[in-house]
Amino acid sequence: MTVNLDRRSLLGAGAASAAAVGLGTGAKAKAVLAPGLKKADFKSAVAAMRKVVGDDWVFADPEAVAPWKKSYTPDPYGKHVPVGAVCPETVEQVQAIVKIANEFRQPIWPVSTGKNMGYGMTTTAMPGQMILDLKRMNRIISVDPELCTALVEPGVTYRQLKDYLVENNLPLWIDVPTVGPIASPVGNTLDRGVGYTPYGEHFMVQCGMEVVLADGEILRTGMGSTKNPSAWQAFKWGYGPYLDGLFTQSNFGVVTKMGMWLMPAPPVYKPFVIRHKKMEDVARIVEAMRPLRIANIVPNVVLMMGGAYQLAMFKRRGEVWDGAGPITDEAVAKAAQANNLGMWNTYIALYGTEGMIAESEKIIRAAFAAIDGEVLTEAEMGDNSWFHHHATLMQGGLNLDEIGLARWRGNGGGLAWFAPVAPAKGSETQGQVELAKQILGKHGFDYTAAFAIGSRELHHIIALLYDKSDPAEEKRADDCYRELVTGFGERGWASYRTGVHAMDLVAQQFGTVNRAFNAKLKDALDPNHILAPGKSGIA
């Protein structure tokens, strides 16, 4: 299944979600050429790319490139502005573009659909790069209903894949990230994103890649390089060193196809929310949930949502707090109670037969009754918007509710996610909350956050919400984010993922040996450094 995109729809799709929150065009930031690149070389590269994809699919003047400049993340100095964009339709065109990039030393920045809204969209880690926009490569190549697998191109969206399964009456579920309808399974998996169902660790359920290397050669990982590779999407490892991980959060190649596992639709699905009224309950919640996750009694990725984060999805800040400084816990608690929410709202689901679910529910209710948790079902929550949002996501459903976060402080559309990782122990949580509040408060921002509880790890998902239309506030947001990175890093809580504005700083938290090893791989695989310089701190 392929969705046909014309030039106008490609540009319009990028503008629509940004316009919804009043996001600026990035006109204040001017693109500059890559270091050492001459204007003549840039023009020659553009001309050569036009011969490959056609004039309509290369964008090289400031007005035409505007859709790729849009971002929610802070860029007060205009460092993350692309200089152009090229939109191939086939893997052969990607190969040709990579060879042109090498010939003229023009760096390119690959994106799938570019909708990682809190991490930089289609902006670049270093200046002077052309966006290699893969939206037109949007074929669902195969779906195997017996093995529950799919093979897709990077431009395929979660909406497109979901529609394909429904239209073909296939009883399979996808797992989605926050803005699933417009995001790409390939792009989200390569950034090691997470979702909400038992298949929520997206890289864990990835299986096999096709990669265009920096020299234009095609590598197929796992079983994909064998003759007649029938097991390409069935067996992850292949033979010899496991390679797929090298192409996640890296700039070592351009992934043009990816295999993934799909979840069989269960006979029964039952969502829950567990409410706690006190911020200080955070440690007890994690201690109660960890053994349930490890034992797979709670099988899905658990989202423990803070009250302020929940409110920010559907409310404006002025509706909750009109005082000076960061919003207080008292104000959050009052608004949360008025909207049938707790200070912590932990969303879980059970999947299976009625009997399986009944037995697991007994264990869960007993575990949380012991720590004053209120376990509620859909029948009790009714049409509560927040419950409906999570109940939808935990069954692979699609919505864009969390784009509302960018409206919290006005229409300026500022959002940067900070996501440090810690072991799933209650002792790790309170210190993180206190440190986050301290740093955010110092810069005048609210603590709007959640915890994702994996099988053994915590992702502390902090949404730094600001008004991007205010230059002074954008600068404060950038300073705040950098202090979060270093402050948490010093405590051993480094981020697992970050936006283009902080990739080098986050990489520094992982030490010099790690960075030197990545640099050696980069030099070997991409000696001209034309693939996404600066991605994950790898120049």
Side-chain angles (χ1 to χ4, degrees):
M1 177 183 181
T2 303
V3 175
N4 293 323
L5 290 174
D6 60 20
R7 190 173 190 265
R8 180 176 297 178
S9 66
L10 178 72
L11 298 177
S17 61
V21 293
L23 193 60
T25 63
K28 66 178 181 180
K30 294 182 179 179
V32 297
L33 295 181
L37 193 75
K38 298 176 181 178
K39 286 186 179 180
D41 291 327
F42 173 68
K43 289 181 179 179
S44 296
V46 167
M49 290 178 187
R50 284 187 168 133
K51 291 180 181 178
V52 172
V53 300
D55 291 345
D56 284 350
W57 296 108
V58 179
F59 307 82
D61 63 84
E63 184 178 350
V65 180
W68 288 273
K69 296 179 183 179
K70 299 182 191 307
S71 176
Y72 295 85
T73 54
D75 184 16
Y77 306 109
K79 293 181 178 179
H80 306 289
V81 182
V83 75
V86 56
C87 306
E89 191 173 20
T90 66
V91 66
E92 292 80 14
Q93 290 180 355
V94 174
Q95 288 177 285
I97 290 166
V98 166
K99 291 176 181 178
I100 292 166
N102 272 294
E103 180 181 355
F104 296 101
R105 301 298 192 268
Q106 172 58 56
I108 52 179
W109 182 271
V111 301
S112 297
T113 62
K115 295 301 186 290
N116 52 351
M117 57 181 281
Y119 293 113
M121 304 285 277
T122 55
T123 55
T124 62
M126 295 174 69
Q129 304 188 49
M130 287 192 70
I131 303 302
L132 180 63
D133 192 323
L134 304 175
K135 284 190 189 75
R136 297 176 71 206
M137 297 179 65
N138 61 4
R139 292 184 305 150
I140 298 171
I141 297 163
S142 64
V143 174
D144 187 323
E146 295 171 310
L147 292 174
C148 307
T149 66
L151 180 65
V152 300
E153 290 185 328
V156 171
T157 64
Y158 285 99
R159 166 59 71 191
Q160 184 183 344
L161 183 55
K162 175 89 169 181
D163 288 347
Y164 178 93
L165 299 175
V166 172
E167 290 165 7
N168 289 277
N169 198 31
L170 298 176
L172 300 171
W173 283 8
I174 60 173
D175 185 278
V176 298
T178 297
V179 289
I182 56 178
S184 157
V186 174
N188 186 265
T189 300
L190 294 182
D191 233 12
R192 296 206 290 271
V194 295
Y196 301 82
T197 76
Y199 281 40
E201 188 65 61
H202 291 166
F203 184 54
M204 292 289 286
V205 294
Q206 172 273 333
C207 192
M209 294 178 182
E210 177 186 87
V211 186
V212 175
L213 300 175
D215 61 3
E217 290 290 327
I218 291 178
L219 169 71
R220 287 187 174 145
T221 66
M223 302 300 292
S225 61
T226 64
K227 293 179 181 179
N228 302 314
S230 60
W232 193 14
Q233 274 67 71
F235 181 61
K236 287 174 70 77
W237 313 119
Y239 178 74
Y242 178 68
L243 301 178
D244 296 54
L246 289 176
F247 302 103
T248 67
Q249 292 191 2
S250 81
N251 49 15
F252 299 151
V254 181
V255 176
T256 50
K257 294 182 181 67
M258 188 191 80
M260 56 191 295
W261 296 338
L262 304 174
M263 177 179 166
V268 180
Y269 161 71
K270 189 171 184 178
F272 301 83
V273 62
I274 306 165
R275 287 194 311 215
H276 284 81
K277 296 180 180 179
K278 299 175 182 178
M279 283 294 292
E280 54 268 30
D281 285 334
V282 60
R284 296 200 298 169
I285 299 169
V286 172
E287 284 298 303
M289 187 61 71
R290 183 186 61 251
L292 300 176
R293 287 289 288 119
I294 290 175
N296 212 37
I297 293 168
V298 174
N300 67 308
V301 175
V302 173
L303 266 293
M304 187 171 71
M305 311 296 293
Y309 189 110
Q310 295 266 264
L311 293 167
M313 287 170 54
F314 296 113
K315 303 290 183 182
R316 297 293 185 104
R317 190 172 188 267
E319 298 176 66
V320 179
W321 175 247
D322 58 3
I327 190 170
T328 64
D329 286 350
E330 291 75 18
V332 172
K334 181 179 178 181
Q337 185 175 8
N339 287 280
N340 202 19
L341 295 168
M343 289 299 275
W344 293 106
N345 307 273
T346 305
Y347 294 92
I348 64 172
L350 296 175
Y351 311 78
T353 65
E354 293 280 6
M356 292 165 59
I357 287 175
E359 290 304 311
S360 293
E361 185 175 347
K362 290 177 187 176
I363 298 170
I364 292 164
R365 287 187 177 277
F368 283 96
I371 60 165
D372 305 316
E374 194 177 7
V375 181
L376 303 166
T377 66
E378 190 169 13
E380 294 153 307
M381 294 301 291
D383 60 357
N384 181 278
S385 298
W386 291 272
F387 184 86
H388 175 73
H389 167 76
H390 286 279
T392 298
L393 294 175
M394 290 188 296
Q395 59 179 325
L398 298 157
N399 63 52
L400 292 170
D401 292 340
E402 289 192 42
I403 285 181
L405 291 169
R407 302 188 189 99
W408 176 244
R409 292 181 75 98
N411 289 327
L415 165 61
W417 273 312
F418 175 61
V421 174
K425 294 182 178 181
S427 58
E428 301 278 338
T429 56
Q430 195 60 45
Q432 285 205 17
V433 172
E434 291 170 0
L435 181 59
K437 282 188 170 185
Q438 173 195 331
I439 295 172
L440 290 161
K442 172 184 172 182
H443 295 275
F445 297 111
D446 303 320
Y447 177 67
T448 43
F451 284 93
I453 306 175
S455 61
R456 289 166 176 82
E457 84 286 350
L458 288 172
H459 295 170
H460 192 176
I461 305 165
I462 299 169
L464 175 55
L465 306 178
Y466 68 100
D467 186 349
K468 193 175 176 68
S469 66
D470 181 341
E473 190 160 315
E474 183 174 21
K475 174 64 168 60
R476 282 194 291 115
D478 190 57
D479 291 343
C480 179
Y481 195 99
R482 292 178 179 280
E483 189 170 345
L484 285 168
V485 171
T486 55
F488 274 72
E490 288 171 1
R491 301 277 293 273
W493 297 322
S495 185
Y496 88 103
R497 186 180 179 192
T498 195
V500 296
H501 62 293
M503 285 183 168
D504 193 67
L505 185 62
V506 169
Q508 291 174 25
Q509 312 309 304
F510 287 84
T512 57
V513 175
N514 179 287
R515 299 197 75 185
F517 183 78
N518 287 336
K520 289 177 183 177
L521 290 175
K522 182 66 171 173
D523 287 339
L525 294 171
D526 182 12
N528 293 324
H529 292 238
I530 54 95
L531 294 181
K535 173 74 174 179
S536 297
I538 308 166

